[in-house]
Amino acid sequence: MVRILLIIATFCTTGFLYSQNILIKNGTVLTITDGIKENTDVLILNGKIAQIAKNIINPKNTRVIDASGLFVMPGIIDAHSHIALDAINEFASPVTAEVQVGDVLNPFDIAIYRALAGGVTISHAMHGSANAIGGQCQTIKHRYGVVDPEKLKMEGAPRTIKFALGENPIRVHGEGKNIIPNTRMGMEQTFRDAFAEGKLYMQRWDDFRKGLIKESPEYNLRLETMADIIKGDILIHCHSYRADEILMLMRVLKDYGVKKICFQHVNEGFKVAPELAAYGATASVFSDWWAYKFEVYYSTAYNASILTKNGVTTSINSDDPELIRHLYHEAAKTQRYGGLSDDEALRLITINPAQQLGIDHRVGSIAIGKDGDVVLFKNHPLSIYAIPQMTIVDGVVRFSIQEDPDDVRLEISPTANESSFYEEMHHSEEEDSCLQGFSEWMMEHKSK
Amino acid sequence: MAFKFQSYIGLLFLTWSTICVQAQVSGDLKPASDIYILKNCFVVPQPGKILSGQDILIKNGKIADIGSQLKKPFDALEIRLDSMYVYAGFIDAYSNTGIARPEEKERPKVTNTVYPQNEEAGITPQVRAKDSYKSTDKSVPEMRTAGFTLSNVIPRGLMLPGSSDVFILGDKPGDRMLFKADIGQNFQFAPIRGIYPGTVMGVMAKFRELYKNAEIYGKKESLYQALPSQYNRPEYSRELEAIYEVTTRKTPLFIKANHTKEIHRAMKLRSELGFNLILADVQQGWYNIDEIKKHNIPVLLSLELPAAPKEDVKKDSTKVADKSDFELKKEQSIQEYLSQASAFEKAGIPFGFSCLSVKATDIKKNIQTMITHGLSESAALAALTTYPAQLLGISKEAGTVEKGKLANLVITDKPYFDEKSKIRYVFVEGSKYEYADRPQAKNSGKSNGEDPKYVGIWSYIIDIQGMSQEGKVNITFADDQYKISMFDNTRPYDEIFADNVSLDGKTLTFTSSVDMGQPVTLQFELNMDDKNYSGTISVGAFGSFPVKGTWLSKPNNF
Amino acid sequence: MNVSNKYIFILLWIFSTSYTFGQQVKKAENGTFLLKNGMLHTVMHGTFTGDLLIQDGIIADMGKTVVAPNATVIDCSGKHVYPGLIDAGSRLGLAEIGSISLSNDYAELGAFVPHMRALSAINPNSVSIPVTRLNGVTTVFSKPEGGTFSGTGAVIDLFGYTPEQMSCGSERVVMQFPSTGLRGRWDRRKDTDIKSDAENALKKINEVWAEIINYHRIDSTATAQKTTWNRNNPAMDAMLPIVRKEQPLFIEVNSKADIETALEWIKSKNIKAVLMGVADGWRVADKIAAAKIPVITGPVLSLPRRDNDRYDAAYTNAGQMAKAGVKVAIRTNNAENTRNLPFDAGFAAAYGMGVEEALKAVTINTAEIFGIDNMYGSLDKGKVANVFVTDGDPFETKTQIEKLFIKGWDIPLESRQTLLKDEFLQRTPGLSK
């Protein structure tokens, strides 16, 4: 019972008790954008970073955290996850721009807490990669403890949408259902078709609004979304692997004047790094995943380093509820594979993903005015011996290793079974998480 | 004193008569009259009120009169309800009652899963419950047995199953039982795997699109109606036509929302699109109380509950300490489900009940559980009567026991919310359905392998301080058990059934308990002989009285 | 082209490409190498600055100062010298591309196939092998994992072109113990069904076991009487070393309940055993320690197996078992990313195991568990010269491996991944007009 109370205390009341005011004393502050500051305090007031200085005097109603000997860095940002979602893939059509994973957030997902315990304060909860144009994604803050899904959403974060190239959409639609796309040629035309339809749709409505046509056009949420993409209102995050298809999509986007594109996974991004840099495209990659399917067979763990050194804004992502727990370690792998500096490596999981999500003015570094998203580490975060001690989101302690209860489930099913134990599955057999649910779906589909 | 007591005993028998067996007395036989006068009962006209010593006159399916000492019309059947409780018939605000589950068969092949036909995608808002409602479906008598007299019936389906209608849960053919049509449209977060929309997010996106197009459709339609020469004829769409009514708020949208996340999704669609939302079959709504209250959203709480945690019989404290954190948390979680209704009441949110997910036979037990978890009886009764009546727009006709309203009544032997109460009668638009206990096997005497003795119809004469009461006892033997019933000669239709039947040698004992403000047990102890018997009846603190009788004929089997 | 044709086409292409490019890396060099003045992390005899001589494939000498006039001298001043890391469980060489089943050879059909030999199926030219060894992983136990008695895994060195060249001489039978765990979120079997499934599976195993014992008795009698016994039962033959306690049986088992059942089963069968996986090991560490059964656990970087487990359950598992006195070895249980073994060890070290114990868990403990500690698992005179030189702690992520020897061969620090880096870091031509 005490433990239950403790959980409630940790999750629910901390925010009220300290009203999102925290003074982190005497840490080694890795600001990301303004160098390393030794023995420095960081003051968070009302959830925002208010001051970064030595010997800040403790204001009233502020919780003081001694960070002596600890490293203080901005909350880690994962530009590609599928946690906190009740549905990932709307498999039923190669283009499903209209669906939003923001509709199916699951604030009870324990993966949120586990990510917090790895210092991750923000993740980009994405639609899966079953479709050429999948659904709209949702940037979430890891406010584990809230039960209103809306409160997970990062207020003001730009709209984003998932595109996907290569094997996954081809497998689902071409091989799975005998419809286009069944090749990478078909992929290109699927995109071109959707963009063209979106543009026509936009024109029809413009004409109607201007009174050029009398009859109201039919409303089409899918094309409405395509129109928003063309207008630049939605950032594209595209699941991609092979170099040729990356180039293909950039050509399509260029034809429609769409500038903002972040290629996700982009295992062969290193092969077209100059082209990516020239277009202004960014890349969000795995540190070292490869060989789980053919299109990632010719990969290299040096991908992030090569991209970075070629001027491509790059982040390291997880796409996985396990990997998300140690992105700091994944970032460090760029030091083994390519020798990135501490600063370059830390940017891969902070300010760079923030840029890719259009939230770099809010988060991604420790700077005055930014959100109070901070992680305290024992040992340098890029060290294998790093252990996250405390994760603060908007000035609220959402994870603290000192107060970490054994069981952090928020929602307990009345039929929960204490002996429920999951045997592990291999990643390589599961494909990337992007195609989550696919086999199950295929079985359903084939039985028809 | 003697007289008073005598009438008490008579009363005892009447009360007692309703305790036992059999599903429903009014079977195929048409009653002598469809005018009833219910005598001397407690009436709970609406939640929180109670009137004693009331009579109710039922005529033409309506409550013709209500008051004390009503005059019995010559053509009325009198039912003495002395000390029974009369409530307004319960109203189920949301279920599939009367609509048979479609037979499991192979779904027809969908040729285009990307752009399926609306019907293939579960989009059938044009469907009406009345097209498939059948009063012969077994769910109708099941619900009636649980005290429900009206049901807001939702068509079976997926995302947009159709519009619901209120039916009277009588057994006349379906059409004749339709009480109010087009109560509301219905929406469920119900995707179809493999067909678009195949996920909840797809369903939500599709709904937004349909909604906007319904608005456009309505506008086009009215423009065309006004100026047919200037506009093209809008292509007819039965789906958009049906949804249009939701967009104009002419009809509300019931959204089935068991889980807090579904409630949230429903609220989100509402705030985006602006329809009149009714949250239905809510099971985990305590998380959403503030929002629901803030936006004044009508709520129908599910009567389905998770199984309560098993209590340790001994309740000793070491046992509790032994429980793992896991079990404790699970129990705590279950408590939240069981306390949902109470939480809504405490928050000052009125609500009705939804029977969609619950088995009719669990309803009483589950309401009881809600009450033990803090729900007040009056709020529970409101949720069963006045609230749904008002929500469904039928409060002029139903929901309370008032003159002029439908004669939809639930009559119980003890206050309904008493754990041991039993429903004795349900009146559905003036038609009487009578219920009694199912016999409990352990309560009936065993034969010890011998041939059954003393079966047959016997007379009885009870001597109550010089005044005699006469009737007949029917002793039968079936399924290795004795069953006993009796009735007073003046009221042969009020058959009485016995508990705890036991035969020891020649001594036949049986009991029954009745409520006279306090539970009173009648104990019969009869010394049997082949053709006659004698013995006593002990009536609690009132003492014992002699009884005797003789064998008359072979038994009537039940 | 229909789907299956397309698959075949892809597969042909893969195989043809892998044969065409084969091992793209430079040739390894054999010779006599003197590692001068390095910090020698011997594992068994502490850490000291000294010299290490590699000759004829073994560590020929080691000490404060070693003189070897003919040796190629490698200055290791300021560098660290470690014995090659051993992954106690991997699919390396048996799995090439995850989603292409025809490139995967670790799961044979049938429940009772202990005679399926991994060593025959391991592809010495797997692209993943050079990728793996560049992180100091020189040796792995590559194992099958289908059915119940899955086959016989092999401990191999990550250099060589034939099974004989790669084999470390230790092959071990692998068993999957019947599980009462859920197979995933989609597993909707009832508790009772899960339990009865596992019980039936164990019953089946016991029936098979009785047959094995019969077979062993007949075989022993035949041997004693020096009679020839006409037979062809390779599955039973593969089990003989187990029933004769010549080799331990390597049993994959993970949940607490299953571990407990497995411990009883091992006792009842009177065999030697090693437990693999053991995700719930921390829950029953004392029992495992008392049974004196070694454990191979990992990957350390994995999710808790229960929703109500602490987030770090998998991180701390190895350490907790080691503290309880269990001999622990760490595995990746991976294929292409077996290279992450040092990081698994590093996480275990950080989360309670300590660096020293974690190093043992990827060197000497593993060697002992596989019965090859006379030749592997530490820097010792006479042991196989699997040695690597680093600029720091091999578990630290940023540490660079600067020299690598396997069986005394100087292995070029190249893999397809480094070659791609070399080609594309500064691509020429760059941006085309």
Side-chain angles (χ1 to χ4, degrees):
Chain A
M1 198 62 197
V2 173
R3 216 165 253 157
I4 290 165
L5 289 174
L6 217 140
I7 295 170
I8 294 165
T10 315
F11 292 147
C12 308
T13 56
T14 326
F16 301 113
L17 277 178
Y18 302 103
S19 54
Q20 295 177 276
N21 295 346
I22 289 184
L23 177 60
I24 302 159
K25 293 287 289 178
N26 215 23
T28 300
V29 182
L30 311 171
T31 66
I32 307 299
T33 46
D34 191 25
I36 299 167
K37 298 178 189 295
E38 306 277 352
N39 301 322
T40 298
D41 304 346
V42 177
L43 177 66
I44 301 171
L45 290 179
N46 299 318
K48 300 272 180 195
I49 296 170
Q51 204 182 347
I52 306 160
K54 288 187 198 291
N55 303 317
I56 298 174
I57 292 155
N58 181 19
K60 272 184 195 166
N61 301 322
T62 301
R63 177 176 178 178
V64 179
I65 292 159
D66 181 11
S68 308
L70 300 181
F71 290 86
V72 180
M73 72 173 281
I76 294 168
I77 299 169
D78 184 359
H80 191 139
S81 82
H82 302 286
I83 66 168
L85 294 182
D86 279 346
I88 293 174
N89 274 301
E90 174 55 67
F91 288 107
S93 167
V95 179
T96 55
E98 69 283 6
V99 307
Q100 305 169 34
V101 300
D103 281 341
V104 290
L105 291 176
N106 175 14
F108 302 115
D109 189 354
I110 200 135
I112 304 170
Y113 184 82
R114 290 173 177 167
L116 278 169
V120 183
T121 54
I122 289 175
S123 68
H124 186 212
M126 298 188 80
H127 188 276
S129 58
N131 310 334
I133 299 180
Q136 296 166 60
C137 312
Q138 183 65 51
T139 301
I140 59 170
K141 281 215 160 189
H142 292 172
R143 298 171 181 132
Y144 192 66
V146 304
V147 295
D148 178 352
E150 220 57 29
K151 289 188 177 142
L152 281 184
K153 291 182 178 174
M154 180 173 180
E155 314 74 12
R159 291 167 73 192
T160 57
I161 192 162
K162 176 74 168 273
F163 280 22
L165 306 172
E167 287 184 21
N168 287 7
I170 290 173
R171 222 176 120 187
V172 171
H173 299 287
E175 295 192 344
K177 294 189 272 185
N178 252 332
I179 56 176
I180 292 173
N182 194 39
T183 62
R184 283 174 174 78
M185 299 185 291
M187 289 300 307
E188 175 177 11
Q189 296 312 317
T190 303
F191 286 111
R192 290 198 176 277
D193 200 39
F195 272 98
E197 288 287 334
K199 199 168 176 180
L200 282 175
Y201 177 85
M202 194 160 76
Q203 278 162 2
R204 271 199 301 277
W205 273 94
D206 281 350
D207 290 350
F208 173 69
R209 287 186 185 114
K210 286 179 196 151
L212 299 176
I213 48 172
K214 255 191 331 203
E215 307 282 339
S216 167
E218 197 178 324
Y219 181 82
N220 186 313
L221 189 50
R222 187 172 295 168
L223 297 179
E224 187 90 9
T225 313
M226 289 311 300
D228 289 346
I229 295 171
I230 295 168
K231 286 183 218 155
D233 293 347
I234 306 180
L235 310 178
I236 301 168
H237 283 254
C238 184
H239 165 107
S240 56
Y241 291 112
R242 247 168 53 182
D244 54 286
E245 58 192 13
I246 293 163
L247 295 174
M248 175 275 284
L249 187 67
M250 285 196 293
R251 283 195 301 272
V252 173
L253 295 182
K254 196 176 172 193
D255 291 349
Y256 284 90
V258 176
K259 285 269 177 283
K260 291 200 171 160
I261 168 82
C262 173
F263 285 95
Q264 290 283 343
H265 307 322
V266 59
N267 276 42
E268 290 196 3
F270 69 94
K271 293 182 178 172
V272 288
E275 285 76 12
L276 286 168
Y279 195 83
T282 63
S284 182
V285 306
F286 288 127
S287 58
D288 61 0
W289 280 20
W290 70 296
Y292 45 92
K293 54 169 133 176
F294 185 69
E295 61 187 348
V296 292
Y297 194 46
Y298 293 89
S299 304
T300 174
Y302 291 84
N303 195 18
S305 319
I306 298 171
L307 287 163
T308 300
K309 285 175 179 165
N310 277 275
V312 178
T313 300
T314 302
S315 66
I316 299 272
N317 69 49
S318 78
D319 187 19
D320 180 77
E322 199 290 308
L323 210 57
I324 197 173
R325 309 181 314 143
H326 43 79
L327 282 170
Y328 51 95
H329 167 57
E330 300 307 309
K333 286 177 180 171
T334 61
Q335 303 194 303
R336 177 163 295 201
Y337 310 118
L340 291 192
S341 68
D342 284 1
D343 185 54
E344 283 171 323
L346 288 173
R347 280 175 167 265
L348 299 174
I349 51 171
T350 53
I351 194 72
N352 288 5
Q355 275 176 23
Q356 293 167 345
L357 299 175
I359 52 174
D360 48 313
H361 59 296
R362 287 268 306 279
V363 290
S365 63
I366 294 186
I368 290 169
K370 282 201 168 179
D371 291 6
D373 294 1
V374 174
V375 194
L376 274 59
F377 271 94
K378 187 172 107 188
N379 298 322
H380 191 281
L382 295 172
S383 164
I384 192 78
Y385 304 112
I387 298 179
Q389 301 295 303
M390 185 178 276
T391 307
I392 298 164
V393 184
D394 302 313
V396 178
V397 177
R398 297 281 175 184
F399 164 76
S400 165
I401 202 165
Q402 304 295 338
E403 297 158 29
D404 175 55
D406 280 359
D407 177 0
V408 295
R409 292 170 305 149
L410 289 172
E411 186 205 27
I412 290 129
S413 159
T415 55
N417 188 338
E418 188 163 10
S419 60
S420 288
F421 175 95
Y422 294 99
E423 295 293 350
E424 202 181 39
M425 318 249 273
H426 297 302
H427 282 308
S428 50
E429 287 172 343
E430 280 250 54
E431 292 278 320
D432 29 59
S433 316
C434 280
L435 211 49
Q436 211 162 298
F438 176 64
S439 345
E440 215 178 322
W441 181 85
M442 278 301 284
M443 276 154 66
E444 285 274 337
H445 187 77
K446 282 197 170 147
S447 66
K448 279 185 198 73
Chain B
M1 173 65 200
F3 175 76
K4 196 175 177 189
F5 185 68
Q6 185 185 346
S7 61
Y8 228 127
I9 289 291
L11 186 154
L12 271 178
F13 275 91
L14 285 167
T15 313
W16 184 42
S17 72
T18 56
I19 289 175
C20 316
V21 189
Q22 129 187 43
Q24 171 189 323
V25 174
S26 73
D28 302 320
L29 190 66
K30 212 176 157 188
S33 169
D34 53 6
I35 301 170
Y36 292 95
I37 185 157
L38 313 182
K39 295 294 284 181
N40 194 26
C41 49
F42 294 106
V43 173
V44 181
Q46 67 190 68
K49 275 194 181 169
I50 185 159
L51 306 167
S52 61
Q54 297 291 299
D55 300 345
I56 299 172
L57 181 66
I58 296 170
K59 201 171 172 179
N60 296 330
K62 287 188 166 189
I63 298 171
D65 204 356
I66 181 166
S68 57
Q69 312 265 327
L70 289 187
K71 197 178 165 201
K72 178 191 163 200
F74 78 96
D75 54 351
L77 296 177
E78 178 176 314
I79 303 177
R80 291 198 61 86
L81 293 183
D82 309 67
S83 88
M84 291 202 201
Y85 293 78
V86 179
Y87 300 86
F90 301 155
I91 303 171
D92 154 37
Y94 189 82
S95 76
N96 299 132
T97 303
I99 302 200
R101 198 177 288 278
E103 279 174 34
E104 287 288 335
K105 53 184 175 193
E106 285 231 344
R107 268 190 276 165
K109 189 174 163 59
V110 175
T111 44
N112 189 340
T113 56
V114 179
Y115 297 104
Q117 298 294 309
N118 276 334
E119 195 182 334
E120 295 167 336
I123 300 164
T124 56
Q126 73 281 6
V127 165
R128 287 150 177 239
K130 64 184 180 188
D131 297 338
S132 49
Y133 178 86
K134 286 200 169 58
S135 54
T136 49
D137 189 76
K138 66 179 168 54
S139 58
V140 175
E142 280 168 6
M143 285 293 284
R144 196 164 56 217
T145 306
F148 287 84
T149 57
L150 288 162
S151 192
N152 177 32
V153 177
I154 318 302
R156 287 190 193 268
L158 290 163
M159 173 181 167
L160 287 158
S163 68
S164 58
D165 302 314
V166 171
F167 282 87
I168 301 174
L169 300 182
D171 48 17
K172 289 178 199 157
D175 273 6
R176 293 169 62 189
M177 292 285 98
L178 175 66
F179 188 62
K180 189 178 178 195
D182 301 330
I183 294 296
Q185 267 298 336
N186 290 278
F187 174 92
Q188 304 176 136
F189 296 100
I192 309 182
R193 287 214 146 207
I195 299 172
Y196 185 86
T199 58
V200 168
M201 59 185 166
V203 165
M204 289 176 73
K206 186 70 195 174
F207 181 69
R208 289 184 178 102
E209 187 173 284
L210 285 166
Y211 194 93
K212 294 267 192 216
N213 279 324
E215 287 178 330
I216 293 169
Y217 181 83
K219 268 185 213 143
K220 277 187 175 175
E221 190 65 40
S222 56
L223 283 173
Y224 178 71
Q225 294 296 340
L227 294 165
S229 59
Q230 294 205 17
Y231 289 92
N232 296 328
R233 177 189 68 87
E235 283 173 19
Y236 177 70
S237 160
R238 60 184 74 188
E239 293 89 354
L240 295 182
E241 184 182 48
I243 299 167
Y244 180 63
E245 308 274 275
V246 176
T247 69
T248 59
R249 302 193 188 199
K250 189 179 159 197
T251 189
L253 186 66
F254 289 77
I255 299 187
K256 181 189 163 194
N258 297 152
H259 193 279
T260 174
K261 289 180 287 189
E262 291 177 324
I263 297 169
H264 179 84
R265 286 163 197 158
M267 304 274 283
K268 186 176 166 191
L269 286 174
R270 174 200 159 272
S271 67
E272 279 174 29
L273 303 173
F275 53 84
N276 284 340
L277 168 66
I278 297 169
L279 289 167
D281 212 40
V282 169
Q283 294 177 359
Q284 207 191 22
W286 59 89
Y287 290 115
N288 309 72
I289 277 179
D290 290 347
E291 282 288 291
I292 290 171
K293 190 170 181 183
K294 186 173 154 198
H295 298 290
N296 211 9
I297 310 289
V299 184
L300 304 173
L301 302 182
S302 176
L303 280 173
E304 172 63 357
L305 294 178
K310 281 177 203 135
E311 291 290 331
D312 289 320
V313 184
K314 286 181 184 170
K315 286 219 171 191
D316 86 56
S317 56
T318 54
K319 270 266 158 74
V320 174
D322 278 351
K323 277 190 184 155
S324 63
D325 283 354
F326 189 98
E327 283 303 319
L328 287 171
K329 282 188 88 166
K330 182 168 150 183
E331 285 179 13
Q332 197 189 27
S333 163
I334 292 172
Q335 295 300 326
E336 301 230 58
Y337 284 84
L338 307 186
S339 309
Q340 167 176 258
S342 161
F344 272 78
E345 185 187 2
K346 286 200 181 76
I349 303 173
F351 54 86
F353 285 133
S354 149
C355 298
L356 184 77
S357 313
V358 72
K359 271 199 296 191
T361 45
D362 286 344
I363 289 175
K364 167 94 191 285
K365 183 187 70 179
N366 288 355
I367 292 174
Q368 207 71 49
T369 305
M370 291 176 186
I371 288 171
T372 54
H373 285 78
L375 177 65
S376 75
E377 292 181 2
S378 63
L381 185 60
L384 288 166
T385 56
T386 49
Y387 184 83
Q390 177 218 327
L391 184 75
L392 303 173
I394 53 173
S395 51
K396 282 185 183 152
E397 300 105 316
T400 57
V401 187
E402 278 179 86
K403 187 172 165 179
K405 286 206 170 177
L406 273 183
N408 282 2
L409 303 171
V410 179
I411 300 169
T412 55
D413 54 1
K414 300 188 180 100
Y416 174 75
F417 297 107
D418 187 305
E419 200 180 334
K420 287 182 181 159
S421 74
K422 294 276 168 13
I423 291 175
R424 292 289 164 237
Y425 301 92
V426 173
F427 280 89
V428 180
E429 206 181 17
S431 294
K432 185 185 78 168
Y433 298 86
E434 189 173 349
Y435 302 98
D437 238 357
R438 285 168 207 291
Q440 292 175 313
K442 61 176 174 143
N443 286 351
S444 297
K446 298 257 175 179
S447 69
N448 301 325
E450 295 169 20
D451 285 342
K453 286 178 182 172
Y454 311 127
V455 295
I457 295 175
W458 303 67
S459 67
Y460 73 74
I461 303 170
I462 306 168
D463 182 17
I464 303 164
Q465 301 194 345
M467 300 194 64
S468 66
Q469 198 162 344
E470 296 183 24
K472 292 183 179 63
V473 183
N474 184 15
I475 301 176
T476 60
F477 187 83
D479 300 327
D480 210 28
Q481 285 166 0
Y482 284 103
K483 288 179 185 169
I484 298 179
S485 68
M486 39 176 67
F487 58 84
D488 190 281
N489 280 345
T490 62
R491 336 181 60 74
Y493 43 85
D494 275 339
E495 212 164 1
I496 303 162
F497 295 84
D499 294 328
N500 298 321
V501 181
S502 151
L503 180 66
D504 184 7
K506 289 189 164 192
T507 309
L508 180 68
T509 57
F510 52 94
T511 65
S512 181
S513 59
V514 292
D515 189 14
M516 296 163 51
Q518 59 178 52
V520 173
T521 303
L522 309 179
Q523 283 184 318
F524 290 77
E525 189 173 331
L526 311 178
N527 298 309
M528 305 300 289
D529 234 317
D530 284 345
K531 292 292 171 199
N532 52 57
Y533 68 88
S534 63
T536 57
I537 307 175
S538 307
V539 187
F542 299 111
S544 341
F545 306 93
V547 59
K548 61 179 179 179
T550 53
W551 192 87
L552 300 174
S553 65
K554 285 186 176 172
N556 292 330
N557 279 310
F558 290 108
Chain C
M1 188 185 292
N2 68 28
V3 171
S4 60
N5 275 343
K6 189 170 169 182
Y7 259 116
I8 289 162
F9 182 70
I10 289 176
L11 286 163
L12 287 173
W13 183 33
I14 293 158
F15 285 109
S16 65
T17 49
S18 65
Y19 283 122
T20 312
F21 295 104
Q23 213 81 345
Q24 291 190 71
V25 298
K26 274 189 257 146
K27 287 182 171 217
E29 275 180 42
N30 202 358
T32 304
F33 304 99
L34 181 62
L35 309 186
K36 258 327 245 185
N37 207 25
M39 181 68 79
L40 304 180
H41 297 261
T42 66
V43 178
M44 296 301 277
H45 318 288
T47 299
F48 61 90
T49 307
D51 304 344
L52 184 144
L53 181 67
I54 296 171
Q55 197 169 18
D56 299 328
I58 61 164
I59 298 169
D61 202 356
M62 189 175 77
K64 289 271 176 208
T65 312
V66 174
V67 182
N70 300 325
T72 308
V73 175
I74 297 158
D75 181 16
C76 292
S77 307
K79 308 295 180 190
H80 299 262
V81 183
Y82 286 90
L85 308 181
I86 311 172
D87 188 333
S90 168
R91 296 185 300 280
L92 194 56
L94 292 172
E96 197 62 25
I97 298 178
S99 72
I100 298 177
S101 57
L102 291 177
S103 73
N104 292 319
D105 296 300
Y106 51 83
E108 189 46 84
L109 298 175
F112 186 67
V113 289
H115 53 306
M116 297 297 155
R117 276 183 84 196
L119 194 58
S120 304
I122 288 166
N123 174 9
N125 301 302
S126 167
V127 174
S128 299
I129 287 177
V131 168
T132 303
R133 66 193 179 203
L134 292 198
N135 275 0
V137 183
T138 60
T139 309
V140 305
F141 176 52
S142 195
K143 62 181 171 61
E145 56 183 43
T148 303
F149 290 90
S150 317
T152 302
V155 185
I156 52 165
D157 282 321
L158 298 187
F159 175 63
Y161 296 95
T162 65
E164 291 73 21
Q165 286 173 359
M166 298 180 87
S167 174
C168 300
S170 177
E171 292 182 71
R172 293 292 181 261
V173 176
V174 169
M175 174 199 191
Q176 314 293 324
F177 203 77
S179 163
T180 55
L182 299 168
R183 292 165 192 153
R185 300 271 155 192
W186 43 266
D187 187 346
R188 300 255 187 271
R189 287 177 301 162
K190 278 192 231 148
D191 290 351
T192 45
D193 292 346
I194 291 172
K195 225 180 141 201
S196 70
D197 284 357
E199 280 165 3
N200 290 339
L202 194 59
K203 215 175 125 196
K204 191 98 199 157
I205 290 168
N206 287 334
E207 285 166 19
V208 168
W209 198 267
E211 278 302 294
I212 297 169
I213 298 296
N214 288 338
Y215 189 82
H216 147 68
R217 286 197 183 122
I218 297 168
D219 183 73
S220 301
T221 315
T223 311
Q225 295 173 353
K226 298 192 175 152
T227 3
T228 11
W229 181 30
N230 279 332
R231 62 180 186 187
N232 175 26
N233 200 334
M236 292 280 178
D237 285 333
M239 295 303 290
L240 287 177
I242 311 290
V243 294
R244 289 173 180 166
K245 299 183 89 165
E246 293 158 11
Q247 276 181 17
L249 179 61
F250 282 63
I251 302 171
E252 179 80 23
V253 60
N254 279 292
S255 73
K256 172 176 180 272
D258 294 344
I259 294 167
E260 286 169 341
T261 314
L263 290 176
E264 280 172 31
W265 184 82
I266 291 160
K267 204 173 161 192
S268 74
K269 296 289 174 272
N270 189 27
I271 55 170
K272 289 202 240 173
V274 174
L275 301 184
M276 302 192 295
V278 205
D280 258 353
W282 57 278
R283 284 197 159 88
V284 282
D286 290 342
K287 281 188 189 170
I288 301 171
K292 297 198 166 54
I293 291 178
V295 157
I296 293 170
T297 191
V300 174
L301 292 171
S302 60
L303 281 171
R305 301 298 187 83
R306 297 171 201 264
D307 288 345
N308 56 312
D309 274 350
R310 289 176 59 89
Y311 74 95
D312 59 0
Y315 296 167
T316 59
N317 188 26
Q320 291 196 59
M321 286 192 283
K323 280 219 168 70
V326 180
K327 178 177 289 180
V328 177
I330 289 174
R331 69 176 187 186
T332 61
N333 212 26
N334 205 307
E336 69 274 8
N337 273 344
T338 300
R339 61 177 159 186
N340 283 335
L341 180 67
F343 306 141
D344 277 300
F347 261 71
Y351 283 85
M353 198 178 204
V355 178
E356 198 180 323
E357 197 59 35
L359 182 59
K360 285 184 177 171
V362 289
T363 53
I364 191 67
N365 286 3
T366 318
E368 284 172 6
I369 287 170
F370 288 97
I372 53 170
D373 50 308
N374 57 331
M375 295 302 285
Y376 288 89
S378 62
L379 296 182
D380 266 309
K381 207 169 152 180
K383 284 198 176 181
V384 172
N386 285 0
V387 173
F388 66 105
V389 180
T390 69
D391 64 354
D393 178 349
F395 297 164
E396 264 300 1
T397 325
K398 69 177 163 196
T399 295
Q400 299 294 311
I401 281 69
E402 303 193 341
K403 260 327 219 186
L404 173 67
F405 300 90
I406 298 177
K407 291 189 166 166
W409 288 78
D410 182 3
I411 307 291
L413 297 175
E414 279 183 354
S415 70
R416 190 163 75 200
Q417 301 215 344
T418 67
L419 294 172
L420 285 168
K421 181 245 309 175
D422 295 343
E423 183 178 355
F424 286 101
L425 180 59
Q426 289 171 302
R427 199 188 76 192
T428 45
L431 263 190
S432 59
K433 290 284 168 260

